[in-house]
């Protein structure tokens, strides 16, 4: 008998994937005690896009959300997703900021940090790992799964070995695009089990429709944990349904032990929340459809929608399939990175530029140049030297860990928010999203003082930007 453990994603990836991360804390709180008693291995509730969305769209302090969740969930581990040296922002941060962020995240309630790098460059996660281990948290290192000539079983086995040697407590196969097939997982999981002695967790999305079958084959192949979302926020671009996977494994050697009566109660709570997103247009029904192009072109669903948006703006939807065919060529030129934030957006945009200009790399985005300069780290395959030279000229590319070139910045950031800081964590909010956080601080102070944050007088007060 081998009980399969479940990580519930409804509080993070479930609504991030389907509803643009717009679920409010007040919509979570009433059901937390029931979720705490459900028997989950962990509840993913923070990280990813939740931090940005709280500040930018929901008028919420993300740190306060975490503390509230921790107060209500006393028995189940709280889990977050962290993009290595990028933390939850969109650039590499200095080591002192990374270490402080990890310290505060754990102090405010996080038990498990799922850490990944878009290029699977472990140099970009070592500071986070070291800080998390020092604070006593569980470190789960995630490999960004993709396909291509470089991504052999030997590659994944070596990456897993390196992760274990770095100090990982568990590993995650992070299939962000939903392209991991049942046949591939039945080979990958045993290979990883042969390479390491760590628990292995499987994370996928239903974008292509095959994730539930992949999960079952992964469990049969030796996977220890799977990510699922309660049914109102499952399927489509989200994860397989918690109830469905629990029922699928019921009575087998892999029975999760989760009770359908408890899961039904949790689902009943989130169903009207989902309906609200349907009503206001936040949740587009298309997000729940199966898109086999994900498998055909190895392109994540979110990347596809971004391409469509770019082409519509240029009145060039007739170039859609030409762009799709260009994507793997650009990806090869840029070292064949996994297509996950930020590489998916960069590769997709460059493919659009190549097609619309009629000449490959006639116009090159700044982000493409940054990849070719080495600003994001080391890719699994070398760059196209001709394209790299066109991008950076005679400049020497970065070969060291990119964060090694960053000076400590925590002290400067702390000074920038003096007079506006209400908690130590405000420095970190400002570090990740300076303009967004500054505006949030202004509006928060206005509410505390009973002042309309949109009034002219209050707008004249100086705030850090």
């Amino acid at each position: 008998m081998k009980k399969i453990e479940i990580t519930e994603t409804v509080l993070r990836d479930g609504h991030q994937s389907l509803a643009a991360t717009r679920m409010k804390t007040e919509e979570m709180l009433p059901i937390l005690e029931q979720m705490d008693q459900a028997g989950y291995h962990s509840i993913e509730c923070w990280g990813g896009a939740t931090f940005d969305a709280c500040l930018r769209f929901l008028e919420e302090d993300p740190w306060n959300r975490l503390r509230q969740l921790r107060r209500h969930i006393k028995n189940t581990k709280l889990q977050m997703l962290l993009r290595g040296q990028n933390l939850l922002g969109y650039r590499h941060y200095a080591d002192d900021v990374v270490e402080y962020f990890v310290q505060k995240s754990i102090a405010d309630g996080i038990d498990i940090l799922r850490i990944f790098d878009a290029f699977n460059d472990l140099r970009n996660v070592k500071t986070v790992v070291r800080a998390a281990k020092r604070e006593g948290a569980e470190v789960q290192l995630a490999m960004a799964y993709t396909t291509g000539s470089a991504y052999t079983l030997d590659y994944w086995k070596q990456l897993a070995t390196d992760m274990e040697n770095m100090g990982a407590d568990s590993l995650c196969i992070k299939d962000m695009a939903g392209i991991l097939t049942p046949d591939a997982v039945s080979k990958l999981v045993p290979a990883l089990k042969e390479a390491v002695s760590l628990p292995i967790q499987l994370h996928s999305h239903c974008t292509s429709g095959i994730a539930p079958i992949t999960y079952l084959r992964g469990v049969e192949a030796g996977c220890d944990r799977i990510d699922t979302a309660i049914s109102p926020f499952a399927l489509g671009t989200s994860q397989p349904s918690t109830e469905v996977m629990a029922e699928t494994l019921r009575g087998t050697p892999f029975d999760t032990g989760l009770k359908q009566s408890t899961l039904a109660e949790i689902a009943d709570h989130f169903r009207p929340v989902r309906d609200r997103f349907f009503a206001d247009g936040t949740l587009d029904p298309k997000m729940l459809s199966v898109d086999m192009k994900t498998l055909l072109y190895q392109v994540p669903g979110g990347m596809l929608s971004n391409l469509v948006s770019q082409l519509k703006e240029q009145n060039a939807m007739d170039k859609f399939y030409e762009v799709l065919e260009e994507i793997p060529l650009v990806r090869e030129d840029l070292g064949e990175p996994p297509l996950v934030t930020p590489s998916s957006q960069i590769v997709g945009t460059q493919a659009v530029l190549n097609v619309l200009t009629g000449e490959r790399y006639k116009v090159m985005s700044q982000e493409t140049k940054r990849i070719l300069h080495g600003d994001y780290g080391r890719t699994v395959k070398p760059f196209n030297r001709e394209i790299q030279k066109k991008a950076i000229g005679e400049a020497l590319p970065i070969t060291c860990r990119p964060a090694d070139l960053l000076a400590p910045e925590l002290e400067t950031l702390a000074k920038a928010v003096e007079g506006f800081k209400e908690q130590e964590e405000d420095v970190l909010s400002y570090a990740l999203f300076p303009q967004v956080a500054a505006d949030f601080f202004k509006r928060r102070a206005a509410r505390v003082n009973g002042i309309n944050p949109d009034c002219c007088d209050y707008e004249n007060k100086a705030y850090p930007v």
Side-chain angles (χ1 to χ4, degrees):
M1 298 293 290
K2 177 185 177 182
K3 176 182 177 180
I4 295 300
E5 297 178 313
I6 298 288
T7 292
E8 173 61 60
T9 68
V10 66
L11 301 186
R12 206 285 296 178
D13 205 8
H15 71 104
Q16 178 173 320
S17 296
L18 294 181
T21 332
R22 294 299 199 275
M23 192 184 298
K24 302 173 183 177
T25 303
E26 65 187 41
E27 294 173 309
M28 304 174 182
L29 294 178
I31 198 63
L32 295 183
E33 279 79 6
Q34 291 90 322
M35 293 181 68
D36 193 22
Q37 299 301 320
Y40 296 123
H41 165 72
S42 63
I43 297 173
E44 190 196 43
C45 63
W46 212 59
T50 61
F51 197 99
D52 186 2
C54 278
L55 292 170
R56 192 183 302 269
F57 303 114
L58 302 179
E59 289 294 314
E60 291 188 25
D61 173 32
W63 299 98
N64 186 51
R65 169 182 288 190
L66 175 56
R67 290 189 292 266
Q68 289 189 74
L69 296 177
R70 179 79 281 173
R71 282 195 294 270
H72 288 82
I73 301 174
K74 303 180 185 298
N75 305 299
T76 310
K77 294 178 181 179
L78 298 185
Q79 183 168 320
M80 74 171 294
L81 181 68
L82 197 63
R83 294 193 292 267
Q85 204 75 25
N86 286 78
L87 296 176
L88 304 177
Y90 303 102
R91 68 173 177 89
H92 282 194
Y93 298 90
D95 284 342
D96 60 342
V97 173
V98 171
E99 291 171 353
Y100 193 45
F101 187 93
V102 171
Q103 177 190 337
K104 285 298 184 182
S105 298
I106 296 168
D108 283 356
I110 290 297
D111 300 296
I112 304 172
L113 288 87
R114 177 178 291 172
I115 307 160
F116 80 101
D117 176 70
F119 290 177
N120 289 323
D121 184 348
L122 296 187
R123 300 176 305 169
N124 293 335
V125 304
K126 70 176 187 178
T127 298
V128 177
V129 171
R130 183 177 64 242
K133 300 291 281 189
R134 185 170 60 241
E135 298 298 321
E138 179 179 332
V139 169
Q140 182 177 91
L141 287 179
M143 47 184 69
Y145 178 79
T146 190
T147 59
S149 60
Y151 298 97
T152 63
L153 283 181
D154 285 339
Y155 167 83
W156 297 117
K157 289 170 67 176
Q158 185 60 57
L159 181 61
T161 300
D162 293 343
M163 287 176 165
E164 183 175 41
N165 292 337
M166 182 174 277
D169 298 301
S170 61
L171 299 184
C172 175
I173 303 169
K174 180 177 170 57
D175 176 28
M176 57 280 172
I179 61 174
L180 180 61
T181 64
D183 180 63
V185 80
S186 68
K187 298 171 183 175
L188 178 58
V189 170
L192 297 181
K193 284 288 186 178
E194 178 184 323
V196 300
S197 58
L198 301 175
I200 295 177
Q201 187 151 352
L202 185 54
H203 171 94
S204 188
H205 293 250
C206 296
T207 316
S208 66
I210 62 172
I213 306 170
T214 297
Y215 272 18
L216 181 58
R217 291 288 293 273
V219 166
E220 293 171 343
C223 183
D224 301 283
R225 303 169 188 158
I226 55 176
D227 285 9
T228 63
I230 204 72
S231 56
F233 283 90
L235 305 179
T237 51
S238 181
Q239 282 75 54
S241 162
T242 305
E243 301 97 309
V244 169
M245 293 311 304
E247 194 63 29
T248 299
L249 299 175
R250 190 176 310 284
T252 74
F254 314 108
D255 197 319
T256 66
L258 300 184
K259 295 180 179 179
Q260 287 294 348
S261 57
T262 304
L263 297 179
E265 184 179 359
I266 296 170
D268 287 344
H269 169 80
F270 285 108
R271 197 166 290 110
V273 180
R274 178 202 59 191
D275 292 345
R276 176 177 74 81
F277 290 134
F278 271 133
D280 65 15
T282 301
L283 202 170
D284 190 320
K286 293 178 182 178
M287 303 301 290
L288 295 172
S289 63
V290 171
D291 191 345
M292 288 304 293
K293 293 188 184 73
T294 300
L295 291 177
L296 185 62
Y297 297 104
Q298 308 291 296
V299 175
M303 183 178 175
L304 273 176
S305 61
N306 189 50
L307 292 177
V308 170
S309 176
Q310 292 182 32
L311 291 173
K312 283 183 177 179
E313 288 178 0
Q314 300 296 322
N315 294 315
M317 274 303 294
D318 59 312
K319 303 290 186 181
F320 179 68
Y321 287 101
E322 192 175 344
V323 170
L324 288 180
E325 292 171 1
E326 176 68 10
I327 284 172
L329 303 179
V330 173
R331 181 176 173 238
E332 184 72 22
D333 288 338
L334 301 189
E336 206 171 79
L339 294 179
V340 63
T341 303
S343 59
S344 56
Q345 292 90 334
I346 297 171
V347 168
T349 298
Q350 190 60 53
V352 170
L353 291 172
N354 287 356
V355 169
L356 294 188
T357 60
E359 179 182 336
R360 303 189 75 231
Y361 302 105
K362 178 180 180 179
V363 177
M364 208 176 299
S365 73
Q366 290 301 314
E367 289 76 16
T368 296
K369 293 178 181 179
R370 289 183 63 199
I371 282 185
L372 293 168
H373 187 248
D375 293 359
Y376 289 95
R378 182 171 53 210
T379 51
V380 65
K381 292 177 69 175
F383 301 133
N384 180 315
R385 294 297 177 87
E386 181 181 341
I387 303 302
Q388 184 183 38
K389 184 172 179 60
K390 185 173 183 178
I392 68 174
E394 299 302 319
L396 293 176
I398 294 173
T399 57
C400 65
R401 183 182 73 116
D404 287 341
L405 303 177
L406 299 176
E409 52 185 330
L410 192 58
E411 184 177 345
T412 301
L413 292 165
K415 289 181 179 178
V417 297
E418 283 181 355
F420 309 99
K421 186 175 69 174
E422 295 184 5
Q423 58 180 350
E424 293 300 322
E425 291 88 343
D426 286 345
V427 176
L428 294 164
S429 299
Y430 180 75
L432 268 60
F433 304 104
Q435 186 62 59
V436 173
D439 185 61
F440 173 79
F441 297 157
K442 173 198 70 177
R443 302 181 71 86
R444 180 180 63 185
R447 288 191 295 271
V448 170
N449 291 287
I451 301 172
N452 182 349
D454 296 319
C455 76
C456 296
D457 290 342
Y458 203 78
E459 287 289 344
N460 288 332
K461 188 172 181 180
Y463 286 89
V465 292

